Amino acid sequence: MKLWGGRFTKETNQLVHNFNASLSFDQKFYQEDVEGSIAHVTMLAAQGILSEEDKTAIINGLNGIHEDIASGKLIIDEEHEDIHSFIEAHLIERIGDAGKRLHTGRSRNDQVALDMKLYTRKQVLEMDELLKSLLQSLLKIMKENTETIMPGFTHLQKAQPITLAHHMGAYFEMFKRDRSRLHDLFERMNYCPLGSGALAGTTYPLDREATAQELHFSAPTLNSMDSVSDRDYLIDFSSAMSLIMMHLSRFCEEIILWNTNEYQYIEIDDSYSTGSSIMPQKKNPDIAELIRGKTGRVYGTLMSLLTTMKGLPLAYNKDMQEDKELVFDAIDTTKGCIVLFQGMLDTLTFRKDKMRASAEGGFTNATDAADYLVKHGVPFRDAHGIVGQLVLYCIERNLSLGEMSLEEFQAISPVFEEDIYEAISMETCVSKRNTIGAPGPDAMKEVIASYENYLQRNDA
Ligand code: ARG
């Protein structure tokens, strides 16, 4: 069924129909379309714009259509332009004239704005749940590894010893911020555009407060032109998804590195690895690589939407139909990546021995050796120079600082005493770092307790 045949004298060119149609993708929100229409007719009847009989017939008809699409009994064919016309046509076919009254006081412009918002709102909540579950996995690893020593890096060079809990905690912070971004954008988007009409509201006495409440929005939107042409929330969401993907991608990059023969800090489980068709020894981190790769795709949605919107005059323009495929793809991609990532993380093995040996091997305690001298009265800049000499001495002899004899230490600086060994042990280096946010187990335990609290809160 066409919604607009009256003023036309010719049939639409088939290529034009195909190019214009959105049914192949907007059928994704058929449920939301029905939900929005039910709220609309309920309000129309309450306002005396529609009879109770028509309302009941429409609601029953819509529910029947919903059930039949869900069960596969009603196939969505390509004959219709979009999901709105598809559902309306089938309603009229099923209940006759009453069906023709559904669209009273409504335009597809406010209808599509509503449907997309309802769909997106649900997706924001689902994504938040997935992130929460990922945070639970991270917290579990943190709790088990407050004493697992590994090197921390800057410039991808070993820097200072940290713990695995501390490293995981950095990602906890990132995904926690991602959740807070989702919460923010949910609050900002949660205003109902229904009742805005094509762009200028309607002359019917619509109760927009009622439909907004019925559909669990905070309130109706306050400008009908903005209501039908606002896609900010999709850009907000794409931006939040881009950040989630960026965080996953950084994490994947580390997993890929740590899984190499050179690092051997972790082993990705067989169930999350793939093999090579030619090299029998290979076990590849394809899942981590794919997540890293798909990040570009989600960024693409953000750039694409920003570009589509930048030149649009008020109010609705058909360009806006381009929001759907992109955002649907970004949502499916991001959700899929979070789930796969969590599965990979839950099953991988941490090689604590390798992490520790790697921390021992890279002069990660050099700062602590300098701090030892400072505590014995040597100015920091001099201490820095002395430890630099120690490192050079060790490199030439393939030693770590802890492997030097006291005589060797004292030959470079007489300030060193027997307690230097204790002062530069990995345990001391980590456990003395107990400022808020530092890797020391005492500091970490407090942070872990606050994370536990955060995950238990329902609003978090
Ligand atoms: N499929 C359209 C979209 O996604 C629905 C709105 C159509 N409105 C119109 N004035 N042609 O944007």
Side-chain angles (χ1 to χ4, degrees), residues 2 12 20 23 62 100 113 115 129 135 171 177 181 234 246 290 315 328 359 365 372 374 387 391 419 457:
K2 270 225 171 56
T12 319
N20 195 41
L23 184 58
L62 287 170
K100 295 182 184 164
D115 293 1
E129 275 307 309
L135 286 177
Y171 286 105
R177 283 197 296 275
R181 258 184 289 275
L234 297 176
M246 184 266 283
L290 264 177
F328 292 155
N365 48 3
Y372 172 94
V374 170
V387 178
V391 168
D419 59 352
R457 288 204 324 259

Side-chain angles (χ1 to χ4, degrees), residues 27 40 66 138 164 171 267 293 305 312 333-334 377 381 383 399:
Q27 55 182 273
H40 182 62
H66 178 256
L138 272 173
L164 181 56
Y171 286 105
E267 197 171 329
L305 273 179
L312 298 189
T333 303
T334 307
R381 201 39 66 209
L399 294 173

Side-chain angles (χ1 to χ4, degrees), residues 138-377:
L138 272 173
L139 189 60
K140 178 168 179 288
I141 299 172
M142 288 177 71
K143 281 201 227 157
E144 292 164 1
N145 290 287
T146 53
E147 320 254 333
T148 306
I149 288 168
M150 65 179 288
F153 295 81
T154 63
H155 313 269
L156 205 52
Q157 307 282 321
K158 287 179 199 174
Q160 290 174 336
I162 53 155
T163 64
L164 181 56
H166 192 237
H167 200 112
M168 293 294 121
Y171 286 105
F172 194 102
E173 284 291 320
M174 293 182 228
F175 295 122
K176 185 165 168 257
R177 283 197 296 275
D178 287 331
R179 291 191 67 208
S180 102
R181 258 184 289 275
L182 293 181
H183 294 191
D184 287 351
L185 77 91
F186 185 96
E187 292 306 323
R188 198 159 38 247
M189 74 176 280
N190 200 25
Y191 292 86
C192 186
L194 186 62
S196 299
L199 77 161
T202 76
T203 55
Y204 296 98
L206 303 186
D207 184 351
R208 294 195 58 216
E209 302 271 358
T211 41
Q213 205 172 15
E214 175 74 20
L215 294 164
H216 308 292
F217 284 100
S218 308
T221 51
L222 292 183
N223 182 291
S224 57
M225 300 242 274
D226 178 56
S227 307
V228 294
S229 62
D230 165 32
R231 299 294 181 272
D232 289 7
Y233 68 101
L234 297 176
I235 296 176
D236 255 358
F237 191 24
S238 303
S239 162
M241 289 190 282
S242 296
L243 281 156
I244 294 169
M245 289 302 296
M246 184 266 283
H247 294 151
L248 287 175
S249 184
R250 290 182 71 182
F251 209 157
C252 283
E253 171 66 14
E254 297 207 296
I255 285 179
I256 293 162
L257 271 179
W258 292 0
N259 189 58
T260 58
N261 194 38
E262 287 68 26
Y263 277 77
Q264 298 182 11
Y265 289 3
I266 57 168
E267 197 171 329
I268 301 179
D269 195 66
D270 278 3
S271 60
Y272 278 82
S273 309
T274 48
S276 154
S277 61
I278 178 168
M279 297 166 282
Q281 86 283 10
K282 287 285 285 256
K283 203 173 113 177
N284 293 328
D286 283 26
I287 299 310
E289 291 172 57
L290 264 177
I291 295 172
R292 192 179 56 184
K294 284 177 193 289
T295 304
R297 190 161 150 171
V298 176
Y299 290 2
T301 293
L302 175 61
M303 289 320 297
S304 197
L305 273 179
L306 283 166
T307 312
T308 297
M309 293 304 294
K310 76 180 262 297
L312 298 189
L314 285 172
Y316 176 83
N317 298 270
K318 187 78 171 198
D319 315 42
M320 291 168 180
Q321 179 168 290
E322 285 297 306
D323 61 358
K324 293 172 197 62
E325 285 160 288
L326 292 164
V327 171
F328 292 155
D329 181 72
I331 292 171
D332 294 345
T333 303
T334 307
K335 281 167 76 183
C337 286
I338 300 171
V339 171
L340 265 289
F341 184 87
Q342 189 181 357
M344 176 172 66
L345 186 68
D346 284 344
T347 51
L348 56 78
T349 315
F350 292 98
R351 306 277 308 268
K352 300 182 187 181
D353 53 332
K354 298 282 182 188
M355 288 183 170
R356 180 168 179 119
S358 173
E360 302 263 7
F363 302 105
T364 54
N365 48 3
T367 315
D368 296 83
D371 288 344
Y372 172 94
L373 293 173
V374 170
K375 278 177 206 140
H376 289 77

